[in-house]
Amino acid sequence: MERTFGKIDADNEDVTGSKMRRMSLSNQPLDYPFEKDTPDPFDSAHEELDSVKAWWRGRQTRRSKNQYTAWSIASTALPCLGWLRGYKLREWLLFDLMAGLAVAFTVVPQGMSYANITGLPAVMGLYGAFLPVLIYALFGSCRQLGVGPVAVTSGLIFSGMAGIVPGYDGILDPNDPKPEQVAIQAEYNKNVIQLAFLVACLYTAVGLFRLGFLIRFLSHPVITGFTSGAALVIAAGQVKYLLGVSYKKQDTLQGEISNIIAQLAAGKFKWQEFVMGFSMLAFLLSLKFIQRKWPKTMFLKALGPFLACSIGIAVVAAGKWGTGKGPIKIVKNIPQGLPPVSIQDWVPIGNIGQLLPLAFIVLAVDMLESTSIARALARKNGYDLKYNQEIVALGLANFAGAMFSSYTTTGSFSRSAINNSCGAKTNLSGFVTSIIVMCVLLFLTPVFRLMPYNTMGAIIIVGVIQLVEVGVAYELFRTHLRDFFVWLVAFVVTTFAGVEYGLMSSIALSLLILVLESSFPHSAQLGRLGKSNVYRSVQKYPGAETIPGIVIVRLDAPLFFANTTHFENSIADHLAAGQELANEAGLVSGVRFLVLDLSPVTRSDSSGAHMLLDLTKELQEKGVQLVLANPTDQLMRMLERIHIHDSLPRKWVFVHTHDAVRAAQEELHSEESSSSVVLITDGNDTGKAGKASSYATHQQ
């Protein structure tokens, strides 16, 4: 790469540039702020204590801005009081009623279908759409979030519960187990309820202790790759209902495909199931297409699952197949009435060693999915979301579900979109949904027992296929190849190794990326841009001017134990490149100064400070002077404590990179008479770098 050496003519500099430099640089020596030659050994402890005090003062300041009254405290504990007090009856009521009705029409068939994915009786999906929705409406801060059973979590629970209950693998229909399998199914249901209880405990703990930030370690590519793979496996698992075949559920795509092929080869295909199932699938997809082409027909998409369910029930009733002995397989058994109390099943938890890790996994997926939906909805509708309150509300909703025979619930993409598109203004829509589901449980379960499995399969396929985000993968491929690779790994492992392995590998991959990015951060060799005081990477700006004998390096990350070795190696490479530049310029002494721009180094630990101390001594042995530019207060105080000024005089610490370069160039100019080196000056400033702004007022 062709480099431009530093020949700057001060007389030709524009007025604006000179004014900017006079504004940013001081012509008077600045007092060095550290007066102690022997630092106090307790300075570090005082510094940490001061940071805690500053955090507490900021917290108190934020609290003081809010005027706390009895009503505000009550509405904080029970957010529904806030929107009830200012509810605009004439403007909002109709929208909330319509949204609640549309979501109810969707969640009834979806809830029954998703319970089937989990390996539970269909009625437990209805239980999850009743009390948890009601409790979230009371305590949740997102006004459009649709809470209830979701497909990905259902598949995750089924995959994670495999092997926990002996003998469960032999149950093909959780709604109608054989007499000898009734006790096994009951034990499986109990374990799933205990899992919901553990997830509720974890939700509440994360909300109360404000640990929601931990979920940020799962990146967007990881989650979308995982959900896409899980959705594909779930969709493949429903094809058997559309073909009328029966086999044990699989948690991999190849397992589902091989079983389907084996069943078809054995001649167990039922054309009645095929015709009805694919007709329902085509019907739902056509409604989705119509809604996409004409957005104002969103209500058709919202009513789609309910209409498909109604048509399926009508066909079964017309064919008089309600006994379950006809060609169409139906749910057949749905208990009528409100959900039974299950709090007695919470303890003792016999399989705590297997359920607790699964609870953490379910929590991670549910919380990330729900909070991301809630954040997007709050931003779109122009109100603030209380994240910790949101997490606590989901915990309380799961407590209610575990108390009344439901499995884990969280925010749903599809039902939240329906809620928002129907114009829901408050969580009153959630109340409406829960009341309608309650009416279904009390009065309509004899009707829904005629629900065909092929219709449930079609509803699930259409519901989850939108989670296969190929568009996200394509966008990542175009914008960031490494993120695309992360998405691909999460997708492939989830699809072909199973949902549980997919999530574990996704989390491991996220942590690996975090470690790699922390351990191998970027650094750049800098050059001056024209006649300005701006220094940028010579790789990104080929015209940036470099000065033979002076190497300017910027460290682009906090300096701590994990990356000190990498930075040392990077600095050695930059010095080698600088030595080649000096040789090209005919500079006899080679590299004499290394200027470190520490602007991006916001924090440092003791390992980072000792790295700079060791670097100073190592460079001195080679005849190279280290110069620091714009270090933070925290870093300089740490360097003072390890007595770096014994090896690095304070005159070589500067506020500005430009001042550091001028001082180094003046020193180099006094040593060398090479014509390739010309002193950088700034207008009326006669190049007296000794009066440049030596590091004094350390401000980030």
Side-chain angles (χ1 to χ4, degrees), residues 28 45 112 159 176 257 310 422 435 506 616:
Q28 299 297 326
M112 295 172 62
S159 177
D176 188 25
I257 294 175
S310 301
C422 290
I435 291 171
S506 300
T616 303

Side-chain angles (χ1 to χ4, degrees), residues 203 206 210-223 359-372 375 387-388 391 503 506-507 510-511 514:
Y203 256 124
V206 168
R210 300 178 180 272
L211 300 176
F213 68 92
L214 295 174
I215 204 67
R216 300 172 191 167
F217 289 101
L218 291 177
S219 65
H220 178 66
V222 164
I223 289 300
F360 276 105
I361 295 174
V362 171
L363 171 75
V365 174
D366 282 2
M367 189 164 66
L368 186 65
E369 181 178 357
S370 187
T371 54
S372 62
R375 183 168 58 246
Y387 291 99
N388 288 296
I391 294 171
L503 184 61
S506 300
I507 294 174
S510 292
L511 296 178
L514 178 65

Side-chain angles (χ1 to χ4, degrees), residues 162-175:
I164 292 182
V165 180
Y168 179 76
D169 292 344
I171 299 178
L172 297 179
D173 186 357
N175 294 291

Side-chain angles (χ1 to χ4, degrees), residues 220 469-481 483-484:
H220 178 66
E469 303 192 60
V470 179
V472 172
Y474 178 68
E475 181 183 354
L476 292 174
F477 179 77
R478 290 191 305 107
T479 57
H480 201 283
L481 192 60
D483 281 347
F484 169 74

Side-chain angles (χ1 to χ4, degrees), residues 10 24 57 94-95 109 142 171 249 281 296 360 375 399 469 496 536 551 553 562 579 598 601 645 655 690:
S24 60
R57 283 195 298 268
L94 181 60
F95 289 104
C142 182
I171 299 178
K249 291 182 181 179
L281 185 63
K296 291 184 179 180
F360 276 105
R375 183 168 58 246
F399 269 123
E469 303 192 60
F496 297 104
R536 291 293 183 266
V551 176
V553 176
Q579 186 63 45
L598 301 177
V601 183
H645 56 263
V655 174

Side-chain angles (χ1 to χ4, degrees), residues 105 109 280 283-284 287 299-300 302-312:
F105 285 159
M280 292 298 178
F283 171 71
L284 291 170
L287 291 181
F299 68 93
L300 288 177
L303 294 176
F306 182 77
L307 293 176
C309 177
S310 301
I311 295 171

Side-chain angles (χ1 to χ4, degrees), residues 152 226-236 464-468 494 499:
V152 173
F226 164 74
T227 54
S228 297
L232 190 60
V233 174
I234 291 170
V464 302
I465 202 68
Q466 61 187 342
L467 299 179
V468 183
T494 303
V499 175

Side-chain angles (χ1 to χ4, degrees), residues 113-115 117-119 149-159 234 407-408:
S113 305
Y114 294 160
I117 296 175
T118 317
V150 295
V152 173
T153 302
S154 300
L156 180 60
I157 292 174
F158 175 78
S159 177
I234 291 170
Y407 73 103
T408 307

